[in-house]
Amino acid sequence: MFGPQIPTVTVPEISDDTYLLDVREDDEWAAGHAPGAHHLPMMELPARLAEVPTDRDVAVICRSGGRSAQVVAYLMRNGWEQVRNVEGGMGEWASTGRPVIGADGQPGQVR
């Protein structure tokens, strides 16, 4: 009735070899992001779809999980199978003690 179930992953379940895709806007990314994450704003996804790997686990993250859930649904409709939404987004990432860095490489904050 409400569409397909969006698969999720918790922050502790994300391994170092997972492709972490941050779909927040430029200013949010600059304020603070996960080291090693790949930045691709949600609205640019259709034009840059080829940048998202299909041969490994992809965890999609935003600030709280709403936008990333939409991106996961979009990717699934376009053939991605190993894609998950990060529960709680960057807020949860930071609250579990995972590092957050700003665009300047210094400690950042989630916006």
Side-chain angles (χ1 to χ4, degrees):
M1 177 167 146
F2 295 108
Q5 183 76 9
I6 302 298
T8 61
V9 63
T10 64
V11 171
E13 293 172 329
I14 298 172
S15 67
D16 290 341
D17 59 338
T18 299
Y19 186 92
L20 185 60
L21 178 63
D22 190 322
V23 297
R24 296 175 301 146
E25 295 299 317
D26 291 337
D27 61 324
E28 295 172 290
W29 169 266
H33 58 272
H38 303 271
H39 185 223
L40 178 56
M42 183 172 122
M43 299 311 287
E44 294 179 23
L45 182 66
R48 298 174 58 190
L49 206 49
E51 295 177 32
V52 183
T54 57
D55 60 347
R56 61 192 275 207
D57 289 336
V58 176
V60 185
I61 196 165
C62 65
R63 185 178 62 217
S64 62
R67 286 173 285 180
S68 52
Q70 293 177 53
V71 168
V72 168
Y74 180 83
L75 289 171
M76 290 174 66
R77 285 192 307 270
N78 284 278
W80 272 257
E81 296 175 0
Q82 298 174 242
V83 60
R84 305 284 181 266
N85 184 32
V86 178
E87 287 184 14
M90 282 299 297
E92 185 67 18
W93 181 273
S95 72
T96 61
R98 292 276 188 117
V100 176
I101 59 170
D104 59 1
Q106 298 300 311
Q109 63 184 24
V110 176
R111 277 207 262 169

